[in-house]
Amino acid sequence: MEQTLSDKLALLPAKPGVYLMKGQSGEILYVGKAKVLKNRVRSYFTGSHDRKTQALVANICDFEYIVTDTVAEALILECNLIKQHTPPYNIMLRDDKTYPYIKITNEMHPRLQIVRRVKRDGAKYFGPYPSAFAAQATKRLLDRLYPLRKCKTLKKQVCLYYHINQCLAPCEFVVEAQVYQTMVKEIAHFLAGGHHEVVADLRQKMERAAEELKFERASELRDLIRHIEQVMEEQKITTPDQIDRDVFGFSEDRGLLSVQVFFVRAGKLIERSVSIMPHFGEPVDDFVSFVEQFYHDRADVPREVLLPEGTTSEALVEFLDAKVIEPKRGQKRDLVNLATKNARQALDEKLQLMERNMDRTLGAVLELGDVLAIGAPRRIESFDNSNIQGADAVAAMVVFIDGKPAKSEYRKFKIKTVEGPDDYASMREVIRRRYSRMLKEQRPLPDLIVIDGGRGQLSAALDVLENELGLEIPVCGLAKDSRHKTSQLFFMDEESPVHIDRHSQAFYLLERVQEEVHRFAITFHRQTRKKSGFASVLDEIPGVGPQRRKVLMKHFGSVKAIAAADVDAFRGMGIGDKLAEEILRQVQTHLAAAERPT
C-alpha cells in the first residue's frame, strides 16, 4: 500500500484541482481543493501534523484527484463532492441552511410569498429573515397594508380577502398593471425604511378618526401602527454607505466551530445567523471551507463580504461576484470583531448547555424549529393513512407536546368520502375534518403538522389548509426509503428536501413521531379489519406477512374466495404447496367457527 501511494504521489500534476482521500474500503474520508495538487496532496504524507490531521492521515489508504482549469472551478467541484459524499473529516454546512425571503412574484397579478431560494426569475426579493416566523410576521403586515392577490390560482368569485380590503379581486375586476407597479414600489420602499412615512400617514388618519368620534376605526389604526413599529423595529447597527454586505466571524473550542454571519442590507444590520458544528481540521481552514460552501449555488450575494484577517481564499475571491475584504481598521473592522464576539458567545452558550446536559426531548424540539426555520414546534400533530387496496381505509393522528407523546389527544378517523386506495384524497379528508373542527371550536392550532408521506401527501394537506381553510400552519412530510426508514424531509412548497443531520436529536424526534403515528394507524386498521372480518385470519398464519397478505386479498378479493380455492390457485403468486395448504386449513377452520351457532 505504501509503495502504491508513493508511486501515485510521484505522478501528481502541478495543476489546480480536487483530491479525494479514501479509507480501507474505498469510502471517501475527505475532499479538498488545491491550487497545486502536487504540493497539497504530498503535504499530507510528509512532516508532522496535529492530532486531528493525524487521525485523518492514519486512515488514508488511497486517493484520487480531478484536475481543473482554475482554483474557482476546483471550489465549485469541491462543494459538489462534499454534498454528494458527506465525508466525515470535512467541515460541512450540515443543515444546508437557507434563509426565508419575502418574494413579490413576477406575474400578471403578483402576490407575496415566503421562499428560501432566491432565483433569477424577475421577481423581487426582500430579506433575509432569521426564521419563517419573522418573515411571516412581516408578510402578514404587508398583507394588511397592500391588497395583492392571496390565492395561488384565481378563483371564480371574490373571497373574504376582498371584503376585508386585502385583495383587489382580479378574479372579478380588471386591475391595471400600473396599480400593481405602484404597490410593488411602495412595498420595496416600505421594507427599505419607508415605513416611517406609512406610520406618519396612519397616525394622521387615526387622529382624524378620533376627532370624528370614529373610535373603533381609530383603535384599529393605533393597533396597526404598533404592529408596524414592532415588526420594523430599527436596528442599532447602521453604516452610512448604504451598501449590502455579509460580515463573518468565527470561534473554535473543544472540536466545535462557531460561525456568526451578519446580514447588512442598505447599511442596516437586518438579521444574523450562527452555525455551530463539529470540525476536524485547522480552525482557519475549516472556517474558509464553511464560507466557500455558504456561497456555493447562492444567487443572493451582496456587494461586499467582510472576513476576519487571514481567512480569504483565492478560490473565493475568484468565484464570488463580490468584493471580499479583510478590514484592518474602522467601522468594518468593528463589525467583524462584533461578529467574532457573537460567535464566541454562541459557542460558550452551546458548551454550557452541553455541560448541563440539557433535556434532550425539549432540545430536539428547539433543534427541529431551527432546522425548519420556524418557532419551536412545542405542539406537533402528525397524520398517517392505512388501508389494503382501499378497503377499510382509516387514518390516525398523534400529538406530541414538548417532544413527548400526549396519548389522551390521539384521534382516529374512518375515511368516509373516498372510494378505493387514494392516499391523497384520504389525507385531504382527514386534514379538512380535523382543522375545520378546530376552527369551529376555536381551539389552539398546532405549531407544526407532520405528514407521514412524501410530496403528494404534503401537497394535498397544504392545499386544504391554505386554499380551503385559509390557515398558515407549518407542514412537513416524511418520506421513507426502500427499507421503510425515514429518508427525506420535505417542508411546505420547497422544491428540495430539507437537509437534516440523521444523528441529530431533531431527526430522532421526527423518527419517533413517524413511528408512533404509523403504529397507531396500523393498530386502528387491524381493529377495523377484525371487526369487519376482512383478512383477520391471514394475520395469524405464519409465513403470511403484510406484502403476501396484500397479494392474496388482491387476487381473491375475500376470505370466502380463498377458502373455496384449491392449492393450484396459489402457485402463480409464488406460494408453495405446503404454505397454501396451511392457508386453506386455517381459513376454512376460521369460517367454520364463524358460522357455528353460539
Side-chain angles (χ1 to χ4, degrees):
M1 185 184 299
E2 290 182 5
Q3 185 61 49
T4 301
L5 284 174
S6 178
D7 292 342
K8 293 183 73 172
L9 288 169
L11 299 174
L12 282 164
K15 295 181 178 181
V18 172
Y19 56 91
L20 298 89
M21 299 300 190
K22 295 184 174 183
Q24 188 171 6
S25 60
E27 72 278 16
I28 306 298
L29 300 177
Y30 183 79
V31 175
K33 67 179 178 305
K35 184 178 181 180
V36 180
L37 281 168
K38 182 177 182 179
N39 299 340
R40 183 71 183 100
V41 177
R42 282 182 174 180
S43 69
Y44 284 89
F45 303 95
T46 59
S48 60
H49 305 286
D50 61 19
R51 181 175 54 83
K52 292 177 183 176
T53 306
Q54 186 57 45
L56 166 61
V57 173
N59 289 306
I60 296 175
C61 297
D62 194 8
F63 69 86
E64 63 179 85
Y65 60 89
I66 304 170
V67 175
T68 61
D69 289 330
T70 65
V71 178
E73 288 180 5
L75 184 154
I76 296 171
L77 180 57
E78 177 196 34
C79 289
N80 286 331
L81 290 173
I82 288 173
K83 284 188 176 183
Q84 178 183 345
H85 297 290
T86 61
Y89 288 93
N90 276 97
I91 191 76
M92 284 183 287
L93 220 57
R94 290 186 180 273
D95 58 358
D96 201 20
K97 196 168 189 178
T98 52
Y99 302 93
Y101 287 77
I102 291 178
K103 172 183 179 179
I104 304 178
T105 62
N106 182 26
E107 300 174 275
M108 179 182 294
H109 305 293
R111 57 195 175 104
L112 290 170
Q113 291 181 315
I114 304 296
V115 298
R116 289 200 180 149
R117 297 283 182 185
V118 176
K119 301 178 181 179
R120 294 182 176 91
D121 56 1
K124 291 187 177 294
Y125 294 85
F126 303 91
Y129 294 86
S131 68
F133 177 81
Q136 288 286 2
T138 307
K139 178 180 177 296
R140 283 194 293 269
L141 175 58
L142 295 172
D143 284 337
R144 293 179 64 182
L145 294 170
Y146 302 99
L148 292 178
R149 174 167 64 99
K150 302 297 184 294
C151 52
K152 291 183 180 179
T153 56
L154 291 182
K155 301 185 181 298
K156 295 181 180 179
Q157 58 186 10
V158 297
C159 63
L160 175 64
Y161 288 111
Y162 171 75
H163 295 293
I164 61 174
N165 299 317
Q166 290 190 19
C167 181
L168 295 176
C171 53
E172 281 203 14
F173 307 108
V174 176
V175 182
E176 298 294 337
Q178 182 60 43
V179 175
Y180 287 128
Q181 292 171 9
T182 300
M183 273 198 286
V184 169
K185 287 182 181 178
E186 290 180 2
I187 290 172
H189 181 60
F190 180 92
L191 293 175
H195 61 280
H196 296 295
E197 299 171 17
V198 175
V199 168
D201 181 59
L202 291 174
R203 203 177 298 280
Q204 289 181 358
K205 292 179 179 178
M206 178 186 70
E207 293 170 354
R208 191 180 310 121
E211 291 173 358
E212 296 172 357
L213 304 182
K214 298 177 181 177
F215 298 116
E216 185 175 349
R217 176 58 178 163
S219 177
E220 291 175 355
L221 292 169
R222 179 202 61 199
D223 292 342
L224 182 56
I225 291 169
R226 289 177 179 174
H227 190 188
I228 294 173
E229 290 174 339
Q230 180 181 0
V231 173
M232 304 299 293
E233 182 180 3
E234 281 285 351
Q235 295 294 330
K236 295 180 180 178
I237 300 174
T238 60
T239 55
D241 53 17
Q242 300 290 301
I243 291 178
D244 291 352
R245 54 173 61 94
D246 291 346
V247 184
F248 287 83
F250 75 99
S251 183
E252 185 273 341
D253 195 4
R254 304 185 209 178
L256 292 177
L257 183 72
S258 173
V259 181
Q260 179 82 53
V261 189
F262 288 160
F263 300 98
V264 179
R265 298 296 181 267
K268 296 179 182 177
L269 173 60
I270 62 166
E271 303 299 348
R272 64 176 188 163
S273 168
V274 65
S275 299
I276 300 176
M277 67 218 81
H279 79 109
F280 300 91
E282 288 295 322
V284 170
D285 293 341
D286 285 341
F287 168 72
V288 170
S289 179
F290 176 94
V291 176
E292 291 170 345
Q293 292 181 53
F294 185 86
Y295 287 111
H296 177 62
D297 200 28
R298 287 178 71 108
D300 53 326
V301 179
R303 281 178 57 186
E304 287 185 359
V305 175
L306 306 187
L307 299 176
E309 196 167 352
T311 63
T312 301
S313 73
E314 179 183 338
L316 184 66
V317 172
E318 187 177 342
F319 168 73
L320 272 186
D321 186 20
K323 191 175 182 181
V324 182
I325 304 172
E326 294 180 7
K328 303 294 189 296
R329 63 187 67 85
Q331 189 174 29
K332 293 181 181 180
R333 177 60 182 263
D334 292 341
L335 281 172
V336 171
N337 290 341
L338 185 61
T340 302
K341 181 179 178 181
N342 277 269
R344 180 72 241 181
Q345 177 68 27
L347 184 55
D348 287 343
E349 291 179 1
K350 174 77 171 181
L351 293 171
Q352 289 171 16
L353 288 174
M354 291 169 62
E355 289 170 356
R356 293 178 183 179
N357 192 21
M358 183 183 67
D359 179 78
R360 290 192 173 189
T361 304
L362 186 55
V365 172
L366 297 172
E367 188 176 14
L368 180 58
D370 288 339
V371 168
L372 298 176
I374 61 175
R378 303 193 65 175
R379 182 184 180 90
I380 297 173
E381 295 186 358
S382 181
F383 296 83
D384 189 18
N385 299 326
S386 184
N387 67 80
I388 295 180
Q389 299 298 321
D392 293 311
V394 299
M397 181 197 77
V398 300
V399 177
F400 275 59
I401 298 176
D402 287 339
K404 299 176 181 178
K407 295 193 176 183
S408 63
E409 299 199 41
Y410 287 17
R411 294 293 181 268
K412 303 172 182 176
F413 303 85
K414 285 188 177 181
I415 303 301
K416 300 176 180 179
T417 63
V418 181
E419 294 183 3
D422 190 337
D423 280 346
Y424 301 160
S426 297
M427 185 60 68
R428 288 174 182 275
E429 177 187 322
V430 172
I431 294 294
R432 185 182 299 112
R433 286 165 58 184
R434 170 65 177 172
Y435 296 108
S436 294
R437 181 167 184 172
M438 297 289 278
L439 288 172
K440 183 178 180 181
E441 297 177 358
Q442 296 185 335
R443 294 168 61 188
L445 298 169
D447 302 306
L448 175 67
I449 296 173
V450 177
I451 303 299
D452 185 23
R455 293 183 187 279
Q457 287 91 336
L458 174 60
S459 297
L462 278 174
D463 184 45
V464 173
L465 290 168
E466 295 178 349
N467 296 328
E468 293 186 28
L469 303 179
L471 295 175
E472 295 182 355
I473 305 174
V475 188
C476 68
L478 297 175
K480 295 178 180 177
D481 58 21
S482 57
R483 294 173 295 175
H484 212 62
K485 296 290 185 181
T486 305
S487 172
Q488 290 182 311
L489 170 62
F490 296 97
F491 184 66
M492 303 299 282
D493 288 324
E494 294 179 11
E495 297 175 1
S496 303
V498 176
H499 187 84
I500 180 170
D501 184 356
R502 288 175 176 248
H503 302 292
S504 66
Q505 291 300 317
F507 184 80
Y508 294 148
L509 172 59
L510 287 174
E511 275 193 322
R512 291 199 303 274
V513 171
Q514 189 177 35
E515 290 169 3
E516 180 66 356
V517 72
H518 184 66
R519 179 200 64 78
F520 192 50
I522 290 295
T523 300
F524 180 39
H525 188 221
R526 285 174 179 166
Q527 293 170 349
T528 305
R529 290 207 326 273
K530 285 181 179 179
K531 288 180 181 178
S532 66
F534 185 77
S536 60
V537 64
L538 297 179
D539 293 335
E540 311 300 329
I541 302 175
V544 179
Q547 190 60 38
R548 187 162 278 168
R549 186 169 58 243
K550 288 182 181 179
V551 172
L552 285 168
M553 295 311 301
K554 183 178 181 180
H555 181 79
F556 290 104
S558 70
V559 174
K560 286 186 177 181
I562 293 176
D566 55 25
V567 172
D568 292 340
F570 294 84
R571 289 174 181 157
M573 291 176 282
I575 296 176
D577 290 355
K578 187 175 180 180
L579 179 56
E581 290 172 356
E582 181 63 18
I583 292 172
L584 287 171
R585 186 185 68 79
Q586 292 213 32
V587 168
Q588 290 166 358
T589 301
H590 170 80
L591 288 179
E595 294 171 359
R596 191 179 303 125
T598 58

